[in-house]
Amino acid sequence: MVLKGKAWKFGDNVSTDHIAPGRYFHLRTNLPELAKHVLEDANPDFASRMQTGDFIVAGRNFGLGSSREHAPRIIRLAGAGAVLAQSFARIFFRNSINVGLPVLELDTSGIRQGDKLEVDLDGGVVKNTSTGKTTAFQPLPPVMVKILADGGIVEHFKKYGDFNLG
Amino acid sequence: MASTLSEKIIASHVGREVRPGEIVVTAVDVAALQDGTGPLALMQLEELNLVRAYNPARTVLFIDHAAPSPRKELSNAHISLRRFAAETGAVLSEINEGVCHQRLVESFASPGDILIGADSHSCTSGALAAFATGMGSTDVAIGIATGRTWLKVPETLRVVLKGGFSPGVFAKDLMLHLIGEIGSDGATYMALEFTGPLAAEMTMAERFTLANMAVEAGAKTGLFAADETTQKFLSAQGRAGDYRSLDPDEGAGYARTFEIDASALEPVVSAPHTVDNTQTVSEAAGKKVDQVFIGTCTNGRIEDLRIAGGVLKGRRRHPQTRLIITPASRSVYLQAAREGLLEAFVEAGATVTGPGCGACVGVHGGVLGDGEVCVATQNRNFKGRMGNPEAFIYLASPATAAATAVKGEIADPREFM
Ligand code: SF4
């Protein structure tokens, strides 16, 4: 599958408090409303101006902080195609796979705000059509490929009635 | 083969030796949800047609982040947790009982357990030699319903603690220092194992503070061996039968070893907006502070309140600095009352609240104003953490926080000892 969209650049250490701020704690049972505030504390324009399919492109340790699964869920709900980062925090990474959000580790330093990207999920490369540069991303661990291919852990469970990760 | 604490615990659950990097499906001993992550977990169980708790006596639902509820959406979320507990027999920890991690170590987690919690600081229970880790709502939901989860066996970063604390320097300072040294992603995907002569001497309260913040270095969990100190703690909770000794094997394989000599440490703060942005208190001293918050799963225990009391007794907060003190649990609250600490705090001008997360996560009870500066004893100072992205949070020990409340600016606790 090839995903296409524009890059939205963020820095290092974008936390789950940036993505799903604590002051909207009461919206955690209302994800469409919460999604209107996605990444608000990192870039207040992002939620209103991003278009479906756009990519979040960040530096190191994206998603550090709390275990709130709401963070990757609202990124997905807002319509982002994938998150591309130098590295991810552990719980965020696992939650993303569970909710079916592609999270890709690669050298993002050459990608600029607004660059047009093509992400080839199966081929394992990101093509920056604005610069012509192609970058390979780290393959996901096989267990995560399986969960992502099933559409997340809930769909995986519905399909097999149990863990089937072997 | 020789194993680390994590490898040993996971191996005992899957019935064979395990090595870092392996994926295992394992039994779960304790599963926990809180009021921020719980409602989504319960929705997932409904979606899966799995509204049940495999092990209800060790499935715990905590109402702690918004306790008591400040608004109707959260009151309704609480109703969903209460209903699930009533239907499945899972344990409900009500608004009077306190922060999930403190309650888990008091009453639920034991050495050798695998604990999963839909809260990132679930690693706190690692201080009791449990493999305790934070996961998202859906992972914990599945753990609750099936009694199992999947895990990648982590590599272990060994932290060797030596020397002793100088007066005014505490476990919190040591942990902030460690995170400052290795970075907020310095232990990503790894387990931290705290060892060495100082780890063996540490009180449980000190161990909880360290294990609590393992995730702030990106770690999956942070463990201590289970020893006599662990045994005494469990006995004092009326849980002597839950004790078993647990040590890493001699010659276990570590990805890295990091040494800290506590004797060389000074009081430390983490400056806004990341935990690894550490400075010594002497570097930060003099910064005007609007609010001081003492509490949370990191530093809201009775030992922490005693330390704060040592500074605050007979003194007053600075007139321009608000002081909020929140005991981590009901038993801490009661003990503080018995020892006269609550009275001393109120006399010093503090607002003492009931147990819970309180101001930590920005839901209620201490939300900061634009441009305001707070010194807090919690574990995180991210932008927006205490409810306002225009505010600035410094993390510190209870002693530094109390000294700051008195002086109205970031202050060295040694001035008050
Ligand atoms: S006290 Fe703070 S860090 Fe601890 S569980 Fe509550 S909100 Fe989370």
Side-chain angles (χ1 to χ4, degrees), chain A residues 13 15-18 21-23 25-29 31 41-42 60-61 64-70 73 87-91 93-95 98-99 105 141 143-144 147 153-155 157-158 161-163 165, chain B residues 23 25 36-37 39-40 44 47-48 50 65-66 71 73-74 77 118-120 133-139 142 146 148-151 184-185 188-189 218-220 274 361-363 380 382-385 387 389:
Chain A
N13 290 316
S15 78
T16 53
D17 281 298
H18 288 106
R23 65 181 174 283
F25 197 86
H26 59 288
L27 294 178
R28 292 213 187 160
T29 46
L31 293 175
D41 288 350
R60 275 175 46 203
N61 207 18
L64 80 160
S66 95
S67 68
R68 62 191 78 151
E69 188 178 306
H70 311 72
R73 272 182 192 281
S87 64
F88 290 90
R90 182 191 68 83
I91 307 177
F93 192 77
R94 177 168 173 148
N95 281 340
N98 277 346
V99 306
E105 268 183 9
V143 49
M144 292 196 157
I147 294 170
I153 192 77
V154 166
E155 297 306 317
F157 247 78
K158 281 188 184 160
D162 202 347
F163 292 106
L165 303 171
Chain B
I23 305 282
V25 174
T37 57
L40 176 57
Q44 296 296 78
E47 165 87 22
L48 282 163
L50 284 175
H65 281 58
R71 51 194 300 164
E73 295 89 341
L74 295 167
D119 189 286
S120 57
T133 191
M135 291 184 180
S137 300
T138 306
D139 274 319
I142 290 171
T146 66
R148 286 174 306 140
T149 193
W150 72 268
L151 290 174
S184 61
D185 57 358
T188 300
Y189 302 113
K220 198 161 183 162
T274 54
V361 70
V363 181
R380 261 182 202 149
F382 302 151
K383 201 175 171 196
R385 175 72 187 177

Side-chain angles (χ1 to χ4, degrees), chain B residues 9-365:
Chain B
I9 296 167
I10 297 171
S12 78
H13 282 71
V14 299
R16 60 176 171 82
E17 285 196 343
V18 296
R19 286 291 148 239
E22 261 184 72
I23 305 282
V24 299
V25 174
T26 168
V28 166
D29 301 297
V30 183
L33 296 171
Q34 37 92 332
D35 47 350
T37 57
L40 176 57
L42 303 184
M43 273 154 54
Q44 296 296 78
L45 289 180
E46 270 168 33
E47 165 87 22
L48 282 163
N49 239 327
L50 284 175
V51 182
R52 61 172 201 232
Y54 179 84
N55 184 358
R58 300 187 86 195
T59 298
V60 199
L61 284 64
F62 293 95
I63 301 182
D64 56 354
H65 281 58
S69 170
R71 51 194 300 164
K72 69 175 194 257
E73 295 89 341
L74 295 167
S75 309
N76 291 335
H78 292 171
I79 290 174
S80 72
L81 300 185
R82 292 188 186 108
R83 188 184 302 135
F84 180 84
E87 280 171 12
T88 61
V91 182
L92 181 76
S93 182
E94 262 294 353
I95 61 166
N96 59 310
E97 296 196 43
V99 186
C100 49
H101 309 301
Q102 177 62 16
R103 292 291 303 118
L104 284 166
V105 300
E106 287 172 354
S107 301
F108 299 96
S110 308
D113 278 352
I114 291 183
L115 179 153
I116 61 172
D119 189 286
S120 57
H121 297 105
S122 297
C123 46
T124 312
S125 292
L128 292 171
F131 185 88
T133 191
M135 291 184 180
S137 300
T138 306
D139 274 319
V140 176
I142 290 171
I144 286 174
T146 66
R148 286 174 306 140
T149 193
W150 72 268
L151 290 174
K152 181 165 115 180
V153 180
E155 294 188 298
T156 298
L157 192 161
R158 179 167 56 163
V159 185
V160 181
L161 305 175
K162 305 194 308 192
F165 291 114
S166 318
V169 181
F170 297 90
K172 179 64 162 288
D173 299 296
L174 188 156
M175 196 56 190
L176 296 181
H177 168 81
L178 171 67
I179 296 163
E181 289 295 308
I182 68 174
S184 61
D185 57 358
T188 300
Y189 302 113
M190 298 172 122
L192 296 181
E193 196 174 283
F194 297 99
T195 65
L198 178 59
E201 278 170 26
M202 278 185 168
T203 64
M204 277 320 301
E206 294 173 319
R207 296 179 188 185
F208 291 137
T209 300
L210 265 57
N212 175 268
M213 292 194 71
V215 67
E216 303 311 330
K220 198 161 183 162
T221 187
L223 299 111
F224 282 79
D227 59 13
E228 221 172 282
T229 304
T230 322
Q231 185 170 26
K232 280 198 192 122
F233 172 83
L234 289 170
S235 299
Q237 309 303 317
R239 298 207 286 136
D242 291 345
Y243 176 74
R244 57 180 267 223
S245 79
L246 201 59
D247 279 312
D249 291 331
E250 197 75 43
Y254 294 95
R256 225 178 122 190
T257 294
F258 195 90
E259 263 192 28
I260 297 180
D261 179 358
S263 322
L265 296 179
E266 282 188 55
V268 174
V269 294
S270 294
H273 295 287
T274 54
V275 184
D276 57 6
N277 189 17
T278 48
Q279 304 175 344
T280 61
V281 165
S282 39
E283 286 167 328
K287 176 97 195 159
K288 197 181 153 304
V289 172
D290 302 287
Q291 178 170 305
V292 168
F293 174 50
I294 299 174
T296 79
C297 56
T298 317
N299 282 125
R301 281 173 273 278
I302 190 66
E303 293 83 351
D304 301 311
L305 300 188
R306 287 179 191 139
I307 291 165
V311 175
L312 291 169
K313 237 176 234 164
R315 295 195 174 95
R316 291 275 307 169
R317 68 172 173 87
H318 188 274
Q320 262 113 53
T321 306
R322 310 179 294 272
L323 171 61
I324 301 172
I325 302 183
T326 302
S329 74
R330 176 176 175 272
S331 77
V332 173
Y333 197 23
L334 261 177
Q335 186 60 29
R338 290 190 188 112
E339 294 182 18
L341 285 165
L342 301 186
E343 194 180 338
F345 294 152
V346 174
E347 273 173 358
T351 300
V352 180
T353 79
C357 297
C360 179
V361 70
V363 181
H364 65 115

